[in-house]
Amino acid sequence: MEQTQYAVAMQGITKTFGKTVANNNVSLSLRKGEILALLGENGSGKTTLMNMLSGIYFPDSGEIRIHGEPVTIRSPKEAFDLGIGMIHQHFKLVDVLTAAENIVLGLPGGIELDRKTAAARISEISGKYGFDLDPNKKIYNMAVSEKQTVEIIKVLYRGADILILDEPTAVLTPQESKKLFDVLRAMKADGKSIIIITHKLHEVLDVSDRVAILRKGEYICTIETKEATQQSLTEAMVGRSISLEIERPEVENKTEMLKVENLTCINAEGVQAVKHATFTAYGGEILGVAGVAGSGQKELCEAIAGLHHATEGSILYKTGDGFENVVGCKVEEIFKKGISLAFVPEDRLGMGLVGSLDMVDNMLIRSYKDHKGIFVDRKTPKKVCEDLIESLEIVTPGTSTPVRRLSGGNVQKVLLGREIHYNPKVLMVAYPVRGLDINSSFKIYDLLNEQKKKGVAVIFVGEDLDVLMEISDRIMVICGGEVSGIVDPRECTKEDVGLLMVKTGREKEAEA
Amino acid sequence: MKKRAEHQEPFVRMTKRASITPGKAWVIRGIALLGAIVTGALLLLILGHNPFGIYGEMVRGAFGGTMYIKETVRTAVPLLISAIGIAFAFKMKFWNIGAEGQILIGGIAASAVAIHYDAQFAAWAAESGSFLPRILMLVLMFLAAIVAGGLYGVVPAVFKSKWGTNETLFTLMLNYIALQYVKYLAYQPAWKMAGTSFPKVRMFDPIAVLPKVMGIHIGWIIALVLVVVAHFYLTRTKHGYEIAVVGESTNTARYAGINVSKVYLRTMFISGALCGLAGYLVVSGADGTLTEGTAGGVGFTAITVAWLSKMNPITMLIVAVFIAALDRGAGFQSSTGVPESCAEVLVGIILFFMLGCEFFINYKLVFRGRKEAAA
């Protein structure tokens, strides 16, 4: 057999969690010195498969061969011994330590830390692949992209020659992604074998040599990237042909619905998360909000919804013929003023819904106070649920199933459906399609467009620039809590938006 | 290099169950009870006793005659009421470990009323010959107990909602304050039993003692009513709904416009008041006085009851009677030659198995070589 040309060969891997089959008889092979993209929708089992390769899970059945040798990987340490290193989506670093300390953490050796040798090796690795890293910088002073660099160097330092990156670009700007891909190419040239997990098609086409596609836990195929197109990849990933166009209907008569002026908020750590933000949202448009993760999007949304205290500025809602300032008002006070604001928070099951309660009780979150008396009325929301199940095609065993048991797309439909049901004037959605499959995502886009046509001011906080560019009428970019620009996506490029996403950082560097 | 993957699989692994049918869950609980009985029997055999005889005695001690049944019910009443109180807090994920203290404070408040006024009320009753003084006395004691218990429960809630203190430690510490205060009261001349130097609170006048229905103090009726009321409060009212939402996620509660602090304070008042009520029933119903043993660990055992019942008041009724029966049965043991500590070990074994089996209801073990498909 010519098995030895493969760095990794996984055969017939099956992994189940309870009744859920995460991977069913999956096979995957990684050639030496190639970049393999592992493509699939959320929930298709990509991360589970890679976790088995890196020793976090143990497969129920199947065989793994590394460089042609059958192996058993029972722990991350054993994976390291085999030269496998995984860079997780959520970084696992110690904040108060420096980059170098994090990199050597947990390695065998004496009690004494030889910082010099470590720093020298780190510089060597950095130079070789084109990283840009100060080994003595503390993690808490680092931007997300720098943290990622530390994670990558950490596995290289341990001598990994098989690297797995789980959605590495989710937290990066377009420019940073490009830089990362250059590094990956340099590593490939050095003979490293790389698996990159992603669901962004243009990245797959950009960086990979071959693409392996998973769908609902099943292995579909592996194709040469040269022979693939966005359309063919989508079809393999979703299982049927699908239109990738997002509509942007035009609406006349835009009216001001929400004016935010000079808004400043302080987050839980006492840092200014939103700084002097000023913008207006119009009825009949979708205002996209772009920015690197953690730039103040969460605080901005929560301040507008009355969940986060604003230290300065005003939030003016249109009520009747005038505007009303809601800064300093609690959520219930905002309701009482008759302001119909709908908010789909980022943390769906931790803020928008209660996972262990059923759909009816989750409908009650917005309306249980409306019923008079001490008892809760569950009849009206039950009817609302039944209507929503039908109109939004929510897949659920019934209205009494805990919403946690529903799939991500259906959870989002329950949440968005509830918020839309109360006829909002302003609809604020944070990362509404995160973790959703393509079909559900498009359903959500349709719902948002429908609201826009009804004259609702939609604020769409997103992470996928491609989507924001297509669906928004205007894009507001925030960077470090400041509004760094509001642009018309019809008249600018993704790179322009990317530059705005890191604008203030650049300016500061220039000043220094 | 290692040989073949299958042979290297860990010997046993845990996997979470997706769901389990109620029937299967009860089978597991049944097996656990059986396991506990067998384990206990082995222990008894090693100690040289006849396990069948001992177990028979235990059942007889709990249910073998009207007198025994009455005792069992009397033990179950404060346990059940405190468990309901604890469930209110636990449903909101407010870990109230202070039931013991709240029971004592309730008992102290009720006793204070009794100690200070029972003589006057008794004289008034003798004079007028009406029931009014007795009813008034008991109602005053009742109110004193629930207000005191409730406030004792509110204290940690205030600190948690204002300054984010840890309620577990806070409520635990309050237990000791209450217990030491009872000891202190036993030395006070106004409270002490006359004609003895032994520090003990005197018995109340019969006017401050709860009437009996079917031979057991009226508390059992109160407990049964509470089971129903608590069930409706938790599942049907707006307050109950707010407790559920706050318990699952304070963020969602804030999002829904629920005042989380207010729910903490209100619910902890109810939780403490119920425990205080349990204390009242012990001093005024079962004992007729206040002692260091008024709570006697009930506040802790009630946590087990609440947890085993998954915070469902109706299930709590069954569990409380079961645990009370174990307790009475073990107590009966000690009078037939088996050391009491040994009987308590038996109770411990049974509880250990019953709590431990919850693990097997949530997880299953997969042994080497056995495939998931077989499960």
Side-chain angles (χ1 to χ4, degrees), chain B residues 18-43:
Chain B
S19 64
I20 186 165
T21 57
K24 214 171 164 190
W26 283 109
V27 169
I28 292 176
R29 290 193 185 100
I31 294 170
L33 185 61
L34 209 68
I37 290 170
V38 171
T39 313
L42 287 175
L43 176 80

mmCIF file of all heavy atoms in Angstrom, chain B residues 18-43:
data_model
loop_
_atom_site.group_PDB
_atom_site.id
_atom_site.type_symbol
_atom_site.label_atom_id
_atom_site.label_comp_id
_atom_site.label_asym_id
_atom_site.label_seq_id
_atom_site.Cartn_x
_atom_site.Cartn_y
_atom_site.Cartn_z
ATOM 1 N N ALA B 18 -28.959 10.297 26.547
ATOM 2 C CA ALA B 18 -29.744 11.335 25.884
ATOM 3 C C ALA B 18 -31.036 11.546 26.667
ATOM 4 O O ALA B 18 -31.422 12.643 27.000
ATOM 5 C CB ALA B 18 -30.050 10.945 24.458
ATOM 6 N N SER B 19 -31.700 10.449 26.960
ATOM 7 C CA SER B 19 -32.922 10.540 27.748
ATOM 8 C C SER B 19 -33.172 9.153 28.315
ATOM 9 O O SER B 19 -32.566 8.178 27.901
ATOM 10 C CB SER B 19 -34.099 10.964 26.884
ATOM 11 O OG SER B 19 -34.339 9.982 25.915
ATOM 12 N N ILE B 20 -34.053 9.100 29.273
ATOM 13 C CA ILE B 20 -34.341 7.803 29.884
ATOM 14 C C ILE B 20 -35.833 7.768 30.176
ATOM 15 O O ILE B 20 -36.426 8.778 30.567
ATOM 16 C CB ILE B 20 -33.479 7.617 31.163
ATOM 17 C CG1 ILE B 20 -33.653 6.214 31.711
ATOM 18 C CG2 ILE B 20 -33.767 8.676 32.208
ATOM 19 C CD1 ILE B 20 -32.584 5.848 32.720
ATOM 20 N N THR B 21 -36.429 6.617 29.957
ATOM 21 C CA THR B 21 -37.866 6.538 30.234
ATOM 22 C C THR B 21 -38.054 6.477 31.743
ATOM 23 O O THR B 21 -37.208 5.954 32.462
ATOM 24 C CB THR B 21 -38.473 5.276 29.603
ATOM 25 O OG1 THR B 21 -37.761 4.153 30.128
ATOM 26 C CG2 THR B 21 -38.346 5.292 28.093
ATOM 27 N N PRO B 22 -39.178 7.033 32.242
ATOM 28 C CA PRO B 22 -39.401 7.007 33.695
ATOM 29 C C PRO B 22 -39.354 5.581 34.232
ATOM 30 O O PRO B 22 -38.814 5.326 35.302
ATOM 31 C CB PRO B 22 -40.795 7.603 33.848
ATOM 32 C CG PRO B 22 -41.041 8.383 32.608
ATOM 33 C CD PRO B 22 -40.254 7.722 31.528
ATOM 34 N N GLY B 23 -39.880 4.633 33.461
ATOM 35 C CA GLY B 23 -39.888 3.245 33.897
ATOM 36 C C GLY B 23 -38.489 2.740 34.168
ATOM 37 O O GLY B 23 -38.197 2.168 35.216
ATOM 38 N N LYS B 24 -37.592 3.003 33.222
ATOM 39 C CA LYS B 24 -36.215 2.544 33.340
ATOM 40 C C LYS B 24 -35.535 3.200 34.546
ATOM 41 O O LYS B 24 -34.764 2.564 35.259
ATOM 42 C CB LYS B 24 -35.463 2.887 32.052
ATOM 43 C CG LYS B 24 -34.420 1.863 31.661
ATOM 44 C CD LYS B 24 -33.883 2.161 30.274
ATOM 45 C CE LYS B 24 -32.587 1.416 30.019
ATOM 46 N NZ LYS B 24 -31.941 1.862 28.792
ATOM 47 N N ALA B 25 -35.855 4.480 34.752
ATOM 48 C CA ALA B 25 -35.271 5.195 35.884
ATOM 49 C C ALA B 25 -35.704 4.552 37.192
ATOM 50 O O ALA B 25 -34.901 4.389 38.115
ATOM 51 C CB ALA B 25 -35.694 6.669 35.849
ATOM 52 N N TRP B 26 -36.966 4.147 37.260
ATOM 53 C CA TRP B 26 -37.446 3.499 38.492
ATOM 54 C C TRP B 26 -36.821 2.140 38.690
ATOM 55 O O TRP B 26 -36.559 1.731 39.819
ATOM 56 C CB TRP B 26 -38.977 3.416 38.494
ATOM 57 C CG TRP B 26 -39.580 4.745 38.837
ATOM 58 C CD1 TRP B 26 -40.255 5.583 38.001
ATOM 59 C CD2 TRP B 26 -39.514 5.422 40.104
ATOM 60 N NE1 TRP B 26 -40.605 6.742 38.659
ATOM 61 C CE2 TRP B 26 -40.175 6.667 39.955
ATOM 62 C CE3 TRP B 26 -38.960 5.096 41.338
ATOM 63 C CZ2 TRP B 26 -40.286 7.590 40.993
ATOM 64 C CZ3 TRP B 26 -39.079 6.006 42.385
ATOM 65 C CH2 TRP B 26 -39.736 7.233 42.198
ATOM 66 N N VAL B 27 -36.559 1.443 37.578
ATOM 67 C CA VAL B 27 -35.876 0.154 37.700
ATOM 68 C C VAL B 27 -34.501 0.366 38.327
ATOM 69 O O VAL B 27 -34.091 -0.349 39.247
ATOM 70 C CB VAL B 27 -35.756 -0.531 36.316
ATOM 71 C CG1 VAL B 27 -34.819 -1.727 36.400
ATOM 72 C CG2 VAL B 27 -37.129 -0.964 35.829
ATOM 73 N N ILE B 28 -33.789 1.412 37.854
ATOM 74 C CA ILE B 28 -32.462 1.698 38.403
ATOM 75 C C ILE B 28 -32.561 2.021 39.887
ATOM 76 O O ILE B 28 -31.786 1.524 40.708
ATOM 77 C CB ILE B 28 -31.801 2.856 37.629
ATOM 78 C CG1 ILE B 28 -31.477 2.390 36.209
ATOM 79 C CG2 ILE B 28 -30.527 3.323 38.341
ATOM 80 C CD1 ILE B 28 -30.902 3.465 35.329
ATOM 81 N N ARG B 29 -33.575 2.810 40.256
ATOM 82 C CA ARG B 29 -33.742 3.153 41.672
ATOM 83 C C ARG B 29 -34.044 1.899 42.499
ATOM 84 O O ARG B 29 -33.546 1.729 43.601
ATOM 85 C CB ARG B 29 -34.859 4.180 41.851
ATOM 86 C CG ARG B 29 -34.470 5.543 41.309
ATOM 87 C CD ARG B 29 -35.428 6.641 41.762
ATOM 88 N NE ARG B 29 -35.069 7.884 41.107
ATOM 89 C CZ ARG B 29 -35.685 8.376 40.035
ATOM 90 N NH1 ARG B 29 -36.724 7.754 39.519
ATOM 91 N NH2 ARG B 29 -35.280 9.499 39.478
ATOM 92 N N GLY B 30 -34.852 1.019 41.916
ATOM 93 C CA GLY B 30 -35.177 -0.223 42.609
ATOM 94 C C GLY B 30 -33.934 -1.059 42.852
ATOM 95 O O GLY B 30 -33.707 -1.576 43.950
ATOM 96 N N ILE B 31 -33.094 -1.157 41.797
ATOM 97 C CA ILE B 31 -31.861 -1.928 41.927
ATOM 98 C C ILE B 31 -30.966 -1.315 43.006
ATOM 99 O O ILE B 31 -30.352 -2.024 43.809
ATOM 100 C CB ILE B 31 -31.120 -1.978 40.572
ATOM 101 C CG1 ILE B 31 -31.949 -2.776 39.557
ATOM 102 C CG2 ILE B 31 -29.734 -2.608 40.732
ATOM 103 C CD1 ILE B 31 -31.433 -2.695 38.139
ATOM 104 N N ALA B 32 -30.950 0.022 43.040
ATOM 105 C CA ALA B 32 -30.117 0.700 44.031
ATOM 106 C C ALA B 32 -30.581 0.374 45.445
ATOM 107 O O ALA B 32 -29.771 0.094 46.332
ATOM 108 C CB ALA B 32 -30.154 2.216 43.800
ATOM 109 N N LEU B 33 -31.890 0.388 45.642
ATOM 110 C CA LEU B 33 -32.431 0.086 46.970
ATOM 111 C C LEU B 33 -32.059 -1.339 47.361
ATOM 112 O O LEU B 33 -31.618 -1.608 48.486
ATOM 113 C CB LEU B 33 -33.959 0.258 46.959
ATOM 114 C CG LEU B 33 -34.653 0.104 48.300
ATOM 115 C CD1 LEU B 33 -34.150 1.144 49.286
ATOM 116 C CD2 LEU B 33 -36.163 0.208 48.149
ATOM 117 N N LEU B 34 -32.206 -2.250 46.394
ATOM 118 C CA LEU B 34 -31.849 -3.645 46.632
ATOM 119 C C LEU B 34 -30.367 -3.755 46.989
ATOM 120 O O LEU B 34 -29.983 -4.450 47.934
ATOM 121 C CB LEU B 34 -32.151 -4.452 45.363
ATOM 122 C CG LEU B 34 -32.504 -5.918 45.578
ATOM 123 C CD1 LEU B 34 -33.844 -6.030 46.275
ATOM 124 C CD2 LEU B 34 -32.518 -6.649 44.247
ATOM 125 N N GLY B 35 -29.543 -3.049 46.227
ATOM 126 C CA GLY B 35 -28.098 -3.049 46.467
ATOM 127 C C GLY B 35 -27.784 -2.557 47.864
ATOM 128 O O GLY B 35 -26.924 -3.109 48.565
ATOM 129 N N ALA B 36 -28.495 -1.525 48.289
ATOM 130 C CA ALA B 36 -28.271 -0.963 49.617
ATOM 131 C C ALA B 36 -28.631 -1.982 50.687
ATOM 132 O O ALA B 36 -27.899 -2.171 51.662
ATOM 133 C CB ALA B 36 -29.105 0.309 49.784
ATOM 134 N N ILE B 37 -29.761 -2.663 50.467
ATOM 135 C CA ILE B 37 -30.213 -3.643 51.463
ATOM 136 C C ILE B 37 -29.213 -4.792 51.582
ATOM 137 O O ILE B 37 -28.858 -5.225 52.674
ATOM 138 C CB ILE B 37 -31.631 -4.152 51.096
ATOM 139 C CG1 ILE B 37 -32.632 -3.016 51.315
ATOM 140 C CG2 ILE B 37 -32.006 -5.376 51.906
ATOM 141 C CD1 ILE B 37 -34.015 -3.273 50.792
ATOM 142 N N VAL B 38 -28.721 -5.248 50.420
ATOM 143 C CA VAL B 38 -27.751 -6.352 50.426
ATOM 144 C C VAL B 38 -26.459 -5.927 51.112
ATOM 145 O O VAL B 38 -25.910 -6.643 51.951
ATOM 146 C CB VAL B 38 -27.484 -6.841 48.986
ATOM 147 C CG1 VAL B 38 -26.327 -7.833 48.956
ATOM 148 C CG2 VAL B 38 -28.743 -7.456 48.389
ATOM 149 N N THR B 39 -25.983 -4.711 50.743
ATOM 150 C CA THR B 39 -24.748 -4.221 51.352
ATOM 151 C C THR B 39 -24.911 -4.110 52.873
ATOM 152 O O THR B 39 -24.027 -4.508 53.642
ATOM 153 C CB THR B 39 -24.377 -2.847 50.772
ATOM 154 O OG1 THR B 39 -24.489 -2.915 49.357
ATOM 155 C CG2 THR B 39 -22.975 -2.435 51.153
ATOM 156 N N GLY B 40 -26.055 -3.562 53.280
ATOM 157 C CA GLY B 40 -26.330 -3.435 54.712
ATOM 158 C C GLY B 40 -26.364 -4.800 55.386
ATOM 159 O O GLY B 40 -25.832 -4.975 56.488
ATOM 160 N N ALA B 41 -26.958 -5.778 54.689
ATOM 161 C CA ALA B 41 -27.055 -7.131 55.250
ATOM 162 C C ALA B 41 -25.667 -7.718 55.468
ATOM 163 O O ALA B 41 -25.402 -8.361 56.493
ATOM 164 C CB ALA B 41 -27.869 -8.011 54.311
ATOM 165 N N LEU B 42 -24.765 -7.480 54.498
ATOM 166 C CA LEU B 42 -23.400 -7.986 54.640
ATOM 167 C C LEU B 42 -22.744 -7.387 55.880
ATOM 168 O O LEU B 42 -22.101 -8.094 56.662
ATOM 169 C CB LEU B 42 -22.577 -7.624 53.393
ATOM 170 C CG LEU B 42 -22.915 -8.436 52.143
ATOM 171 C CD1 LEU B 42 -22.132 -7.928 50.945
ATOM 172 C CD2 LEU B 42 -22.622 -9.921 52.394
ATOM 173 N N LEU B 43 -22.964 -6.090 56.056
ATOM 174 C CA LEU B 43 -22.389 -5.412 57.215
ATOM 175 C C LEU B 43 -22.915 -6.057 58.506
ATOM 176 O O LEU B 43 -22.149 -6.366 59.422
ATOM 177 C CB LEU B 43 -22.757 -3.924 57.173
ATOM 178 C CG LEU B 43 -22.308 -3.118 58.385
ATOM 179 C CD1 LEU B 43 -20.837 -2.749 58.259
ATOM 180 C CD2 LEU B 43 -23.147 -1.869 58.554
#
